[in-house]
Structure formats: C-alpha cells, structure tokens
Amino acid sequence: MLINADYTRRATVVPGQHRWLASPQDGVERLMLDRLGGERARATSLVRYAPGAHFPAHQHPGGEEILVLSGTFSADGQHYPAGSYLRNPPGSSHQPSSQDGALLFVKLWQMTADEQAALRIDTRDPAQWQGHGDSNMCRLFSNTNEQLSLQRLAPDTVFSIDNAELLVLEGGLLEGAQHYPRHSWLRLPPGDTATLRAGAHGATIYLKTGHLAYLASLGAPC
C-alpha cells in the first residue's frame, strides 16, 4: 500500500480529508497519513481506540513512536493520559489497550536500528517546557537523524520551515489563504519551504525536522 509514500514530495492532510479505516483489531480505526507497505508498514497514522479496545501482545521490529492526543492509552499495566509521549525502540513489544478510548498519533518503522532505550515524557509537566523566542518548546528527542519537539506559538507568530513534518495539536496555522486547523498534518521535503503563521489564538504543534532524507533512502519494511 502506498499513501504519500514519496518522502521527496510535499504531503498534507487536513480534517476535511480524514478517512477512518478499520484496522485488523475490533474497535481500533486508523487514519493513514503516509504509508509504505501492508500491515508491516513504514507508516504515520492517527489511531482511534474505542472504549475497551485492545491489541494482543506484539512486537515492533522497526520501533514505534506515540503521542497521546486525547483519552488514555494503556500498555503492559501502565496508563498514559493525553499529552504522553512514548518512544519504543526497534525490537520492543507491548500489549496496548484503552479502557475509556483514546486518539493517538503513531509512527512505525521510522527509527534507526541503533536506538535501544524506551522513552516516556509527560508533556503536561511545566518543567518540560522552555521559552524559545516567540514560542515555548518541549524537547522530546534528538539524534543525528532527527530533532523532535512540541512548540507553543504565540498568536500571529511567523516561521519558515522545510525538511520537516508537523501535526497541529491545538489552534491553527495559516499558509497564505490555506488554513491548517487542529489535527492537520504537513510534510515538507528538503528544499520545499513553507512560511507559516500561527492563528489569532496561537498554535501548539508537534514538529520533527531532519529525518526525511533518511526515510527517503529506505524501502518498505521486509
């Protein structure tokens, strides 16, 4: 399956284009933002758990990244409310579920093989945030392949980016006449620069940079 699978091209998905599809597990739906492969795929998705939904225990040979957008996500006896960031390295396994339902942003098979440590960050904790110009930043992860943060932008903040991927978590962004409301997703390859402005109420975004050239060099998971 190929969905926005060419990492050298711009891709955007806004809420009016959202198409939810059933997963192989009852009570779990996926909105595929990009995907290269079938059920074993290099993929970026929104994943929606109905109350009581669960997956059997399974492995993630290529690693998994999760940001809990709403509700509570559970795995192996631990409970992660909205604002939780989880990074499960290649070769890890878990048995996920949600008692009350949850909405997640999930990335699969996008880590380098040398990542070994699991990571858990509560982005609701004020101590995780630092002032940075016209924004506040919560740093989530950084290595030679990618830099990842959440950013709170003041109203009307203007910034330019390329070689980046972002998800609007709160508020909205504008690019000329184009409006990107909450849960809009953008992927901007190297050399495709977007000048964006936070809306009148500001914006909170998930922002990952530097990783697209690496992803473009990879094929579908074997």
Side-chain angles (χ1 to χ4, degrees), residues 2 16 27 30 40 42 46 71 80-81 83 88 91 106 113 129 136 143 147 150 176 199 213:
L2 300 177
R30 297 175 296 195
R40 188 181 177 92
R42 180 164 292 106
L46 297 180
Y80 303 100
N88 300 318
V106 179
W129 292 82
N136 290 317
N143 65 10
Q147 298 77 47
L150 302 188

Short mmCIF file of all heavy atoms in Angstrom, two decimals, residues 2 16 27 30 40 42 46 71 80-81 83 88 91 106 113 129 136 143 147 150 176 199 213:
data_model
loop_
_atom_site.label_atom_id
_atom_site.label_comp_id
_atom_site.label_asym_id
_atom_site.label_seq_id
_atom_site.Cartn_x
_atom_site.Cartn_y
_atom_site.Cartn_z
N LEU A 2 0.56 2.19 -0.86
CA LEU A 2 1.31 3.43 -0.95
C LEU A 2 0.38 4.61 -0.71
O LEU A 2 -0.55 4.84 -1.48
CB LEU A 2 1.97 3.56 -2.33
CG LEU A 2 2.96 2.47 -2.73
CD1 LEU A 2 3.44 2.72 -4.15
CD2 LEU A 2 4.14 2.41 -1.77
N GLY A 16 -10.92 17.89 6.84
CA GLY A 16 -11.95 17.59 5.85
C GLY A 16 -11.61 16.42 4.94
O GLY A 16 -12.49 15.88 4.26
N GLY A 27 -12.57 -2.42 17.11
CA GLY A 27 -12.57 -1.25 17.97
C GLY A 27 -11.41 -0.29 17.75
O GLY A 27 -11.31 0.72 18.45
N ARG A 30 -7.89 3.52 11.91
CA ARG A 30 -6.69 4.24 11.53
C ARG A 30 -7.01 5.27 10.45
O ARG A 30 -7.83 5.02 9.57
CB ARG A 30 -5.63 3.28 10.99
CG ARG A 30 -5.16 2.27 11.99
CD ARG A 30 -4.22 1.28 11.37
NE ARG A 30 -4.85 0.46 10.34
CZ ARG A 30 -4.32 -0.66 9.84
NH1 ARG A 30 -3.15 -1.08 10.29
NH2 ARG A 30 -4.95 -1.34 8.92
N ARG A 40 2.62 -4.71 7.60
CA ARG A 40 4.00 -4.47 8.05
C ARG A 40 4.49 -3.27 7.25
O ARG A 40 5.00 -3.41 6.13
CB ARG A 40 4.84 -5.73 7.77
CG ARG A 40 6.25 -5.73 8.33
CD ARG A 40 6.94 -7.03 7.94
NE ARG A 40 8.30 -7.10 8.39
CZ ARG A 40 8.71 -7.62 9.55
NH1 ARG A 40 7.83 -8.11 10.37
NH2 ARG A 40 9.99 -7.66 9.87
N ARG A 42 6.01 1.00 6.93
CA ARG A 42 6.57 2.25 7.43
C ARG A 42 5.44 3.27 7.32
O ARG A 42 4.97 3.55 6.22
CB ARG A 42 7.79 2.66 6.59
CG ARG A 42 8.43 3.96 7.03
CD ARG A 42 9.83 4.09 6.44
NE ARG A 42 10.73 3.10 7.03
CZ ARG A 42 11.17 2.01 6.41
NH1 ARG A 42 10.81 1.76 5.17
NH2 ARG A 42 11.97 1.16 7.04
N LEU A 46 -3.04 8.58 12.41
CA LEU A 46 -3.85 8.79 13.60
C LEU A 46 -4.55 7.47 13.89
O LEU A 46 -5.07 6.82 12.97
CB LEU A 46 -4.87 9.90 13.40
CG LEU A 46 -4.31 11.31 13.14
CD1 LEU A 46 -5.46 12.30 12.97
CD2 LEU A 46 -3.39 11.76 14.25
N GLY A 71 -7.87 11.13 25.57
CA GLY A 71 -8.17 9.89 26.24
C GLY A 71 -6.97 9.35 27.00
O GLY A 71 -6.01 10.09 27.31
N TYR A 80 -1.28 6.02 30.15
CA TYR A 80 -0.70 7.24 29.60
C TYR A 80 -1.82 8.17 29.15
O TYR A 80 -2.47 7.93 28.13
CB TYR A 80 0.22 6.90 28.44
CG TYR A 80 1.32 5.93 28.80
CD1 TYR A 80 1.22 4.58 28.50
CD2 TYR A 80 2.46 6.38 29.46
CE1 TYR A 80 2.23 3.69 28.84
CE2 TYR A 80 3.48 5.50 29.81
CZ TYR A 80 3.35 4.15 29.49
OH TYR A 80 4.36 3.27 29.84
N PRO A 81 -2.06 9.27 29.88
CA PRO A 81 -3.12 10.20 29.51
C PRO A 81 -2.70 11.10 28.35
O PRO A 81 -1.55 11.08 27.91
CB PRO A 81 -3.32 11.01 30.79
CG PRO A 81 -1.97 10.99 31.44
CD PRO A 81 -1.38 9.64 31.13
N GLY A 83 -1.25 13.91 26.21
CA GLY A 83 0.00 14.63 26.43
C GLY A 83 1.19 13.73 26.67
O GLY A 83 2.32 14.22 26.74
N ASN A 88 9.18 3.68 21.66
CA ASN A 88 9.51 2.27 21.88
C ASN A 88 10.52 1.84 20.83
O ASN A 88 10.22 1.89 19.63
CB ASN A 88 8.25 1.42 21.78
CG ASN A 88 7.20 1.81 22.81
OD1 ASN A 88 7.53 2.07 23.97
ND2 ASN A 88 5.94 1.87 22.40
N GLY A 91 12.57 -3.62 18.06
CA GLY A 91 12.63 -4.88 18.79
C GLY A 91 11.80 -4.92 20.05
O GLY A 91 11.70 -5.96 20.70
N VAL A 106 0.72 8.10 15.68
CA VAL A 106 1.61 6.95 15.73
C VAL A 106 2.52 6.92 14.51
O VAL A 106 2.06 7.11 13.37
CB VAL A 106 0.80 5.63 15.80
CG1 VAL A 106 1.73 4.42 15.84
CG2 VAL A 106 -0.12 5.63 17.01
N ALA A 113 18.28 1.67 13.55
CA ALA A 113 18.42 0.39 14.25
C ALA A 113 19.20 0.50 15.54
O ALA A 113 19.10 -0.38 16.41
CB ALA A 113 19.09 -0.62 13.32
N TRP A 129 8.93 22.35 29.62
CA TRP A 129 8.83 23.42 28.64
C TRP A 129 9.82 24.54 28.92
O TRP A 129 10.05 24.89 30.08
CB TRP A 129 7.41 23.99 28.62
CG TRP A 129 6.42 23.01 28.08
CD1 TRP A 129 5.82 21.99 28.77
CD2 TRP A 129 5.90 22.95 26.76
NE1 TRP A 129 4.96 21.29 27.94
CE2 TRP A 129 4.99 21.87 26.70
CE3 TRP A 129 6.11 23.72 25.61
CZ2 TRP A 129 4.30 21.53 25.53
CZ3 TRP A 129 5.43 23.39 24.45
CH2 TRP A 129 4.55 22.31 24.42
N ASN A 136 7.16 28.55 23.21
CA ASN A 136 7.68 27.68 24.26
C ASN A 136 7.90 26.31 23.65
O ASN A 136 7.10 25.85 22.83
CB ASN A 136 6.71 27.59 25.43
CG ASN A 136 6.64 28.88 26.21
OD1 ASN A 136 7.66 29.50 26.48
ND2 ASN A 136 5.43 29.31 26.55
N ASN A 143 18.70 13.19 17.79
CA ASN A 143 19.93 12.47 17.46
C ASN A 143 20.42 13.00 16.11
O ASN A 143 19.95 14.03 15.63
CB ASN A 143 19.71 10.95 17.46
CG ASN A 143 18.75 10.47 16.39
OD1 ASN A 143 18.33 11.23 15.49
ND2 ASN A 143 18.37 9.21 16.46
N GLN A 147 15.31 15.77 14.91
CA GLN A 147 15.11 16.63 16.07
C GLN A 147 13.60 16.78 16.24
O GLN A 147 12.89 17.10 15.29
CB GLN A 147 15.76 18.00 15.86
CG GLN A 147 17.28 17.93 15.69
CD GLN A 147 17.71 17.47 14.31
OE1 GLN A 147 17.20 17.97 13.31
NE2 GLN A 147 18.62 16.51 14.24
N LEU A 150 7.64 19.58 20.81
CA LEU A 150 6.36 20.26 20.76
C LEU A 150 6.63 21.75 20.91
O LEU A 150 7.52 22.14 21.67
CB LEU A 150 5.42 19.80 21.88
CG LEU A 150 5.07 18.32 21.97
CD1 LEU A 150 3.97 18.11 23.02
CD2 LEU A 150 4.66 17.73 20.64
N GLY A 176 -0.55 31.49 3.60
CA GLY A 176 -1.33 32.28 2.66
C GLY A 176 -2.81 32.14 3.01
O GLY A 176 -3.23 32.34 4.15
N GLY A 199 -2.38 31.15 14.08
CA GLY A 199 -3.65 31.85 14.02
C GLY A 199 -3.82 32.84 15.16
O GLY A 199 -2.94 33.03 16.01
N ALA A 213 15.23 12.89 4.57
CA ALA A 213 16.22 12.30 3.66
C ALA A 213 16.51 10.87 4.04
O ALA A 213 16.65 9.98 3.18
CB ALA A 213 17.49 13.14 3.66
#
